[in-house]
């Protein structure tokens, strides 16, 4: 995580500073960002969870930048990330091989490149997989809060065709979903199968 990265850099004599980019783009936001990255002591930027417009802005700057995550399409910046498209395509294929016909991807509504790649890969599993005749994929986007996730899941499982398999992004959201399912009386994995998209030490 960020703290671990800062610790490693500090051990090697590098100072780090966090700049939170504004949610909305605009001249003022870009000016403040430019003032920050153009300071004499800033020689590299590590970008985390930036929308396409900001990644494109950094690609046009002279200061070196590394994307800790996925790059949006057409953004030419070095990046370091998991191949979420391949991971989610594989997860969808695993569900299909077990006979699931109605699956859902549960993920934050961040618009991040990793989330977009996840959706693409999950849909590809159904579109290209041979056992996928009649299978459907639902993409459920939430704002990250437990309440919103529960509201989205209520709509999902109260529908005429509730999913029997869930692919869940972000480790902390896996636990929210599991608790929700248990409270609803849906056994895991007997009634609903789960796959966590992201590795975490808390998972066996």
């Amino acid at each position: 995580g960020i703290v671990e990265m800062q610790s490693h850099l500090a051990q090697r004599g590098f100072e780090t500073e966090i700049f939170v980019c504004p949610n909305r783009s605009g001249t003022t936001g870009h000016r403040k960002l430019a003032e920050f990255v153009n300071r004499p002591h800033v020689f590299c930027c590590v970008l985390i969870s930036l929308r396409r417009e900001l990644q494109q802005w950094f690609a046009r700057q002279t200061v070196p930048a590394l994307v800790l995550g996925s790059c949006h399409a057409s953004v030419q910046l070095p990046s370091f990330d998991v191949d979420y498209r391949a991971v989610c395509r594989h997860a969808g294929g695993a569900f299909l091989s077990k006979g699931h016909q109605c699956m859902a991807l549960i993920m934050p509504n961040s618009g991040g490149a990793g989330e977009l790649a996840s959706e693409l890969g999950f849909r590809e599993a159904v579109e290209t997989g041979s056992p996928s005749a009649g299978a459907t994929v639902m993409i459920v986007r939430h704002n990250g809060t437990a309440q919103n996730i529960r509201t989205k899941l209520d709509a999902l499982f109260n529908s005429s065709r509730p999913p029997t398999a869930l692919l869940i992004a972000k480790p902390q959201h896996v636990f929210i979903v599991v608790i929700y399912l248990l409270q609803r009386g849906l056994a895991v994995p007997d009634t609903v199968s789960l796959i966590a998209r992201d590795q975490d030490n808390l998972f066996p």
Side-chain angles (χ1 to χ4, degrees):
I2 297 174
V3 174
E4 184 178 1
M5 179 186 70
Q6 288 179 308
S7 176
H8 283 298
L9 289 172
Q11 291 173 9
R12 289 158 179 78
F14 295 100
E15 294 183 8
T16 56
E17 189 173 349
I18 296 176
F19 181 88
V20 179
C21 294
N23 290 328
R24 297 182 181 275
S25 60
T27 304
T28 303
H30 284 172
R31 187 175 64 248
K32 290 181 178 178
L33 184 56
E35 290 173 357
F36 178 79
V37 300
N38 289 323
R39 293 176 181 176
H41 66 278
V42 175
F43 67 94
C44 182
C45 293
V46 178
L47 315 181
I48 302 171
S49 300
L50 289 185
R51 58 188 181 274
R52 183 192 308 269
E53 175 257 337
L54 282 172
Q55 285 191 359
Q56 290 172 334
W57 185 89
F58 271 98
R60 296 191 298 267
Q61 308 307 305
T62 57
V63 61
L66 167 69
V67 176
L68 195 58
S70 299
C71 279
H72 288 279
S74 77
V75 175
Q76 298 296 316
L77 286 173
S79 64
F80 179 78
D81 199 12
V82 172
D83 186 344
Y84 286 118
R85 181 177 177 180
V87 167
C88 293
R89 186 169 56 240
H90 177 73
F95 284 146
L96 290 170
S97 71
K98 297 295 183 181
H100 292 284
Q101 291 292 290
C102 190
M103 305 169 286
L105 170 59
I106 314 296
M107 65 178 183
N109 188 23
S110 67
E115 271 59 55
L116 297 175
S118 296
E119 178 179 347
L120 178 60
F122 201 51
R123 290 188 186 280
E124 283 177 344
V126 171
E127 293 168 0
T128 62
S130 56
S132 63
T136 58
V137 163
M138 293 171 283
I139 308 299
V140 179
R141 299 178 179 86
H142 56 79
N143 66 10
T145 66
Q147 180 178 355
N148 189 245
I149 293 173
R150 293 179 64 86
T151 299
K152 298 287 186 176
L153 291 173
D154 276 337
L156 200 61
F157 285 97
N158 288 334
S159 67
S160 59
R161 195 183 183 199
T164 59
L166 301 176
L167 173 60
I168 308 163
K170 306 295 183 183
Q172 64 270 31
H173 299 153
V174 172
F175 295 104
I176 295 173
V177 173
V178 169
I179 291 170
Y180 171 89
L181 294 174
L182 295 177
Q183 289 177 334
R184 196 176 173 112
L186 299 171
V188 179
D190 297 333
T191 307
V192 181
S193 294
L194 302 180
I195 294 179
R197 185 196 68 177
D198 306 290
Q199 174 63 36
D200 192 278
N201 292 332
L202 293 175
F203 301 152

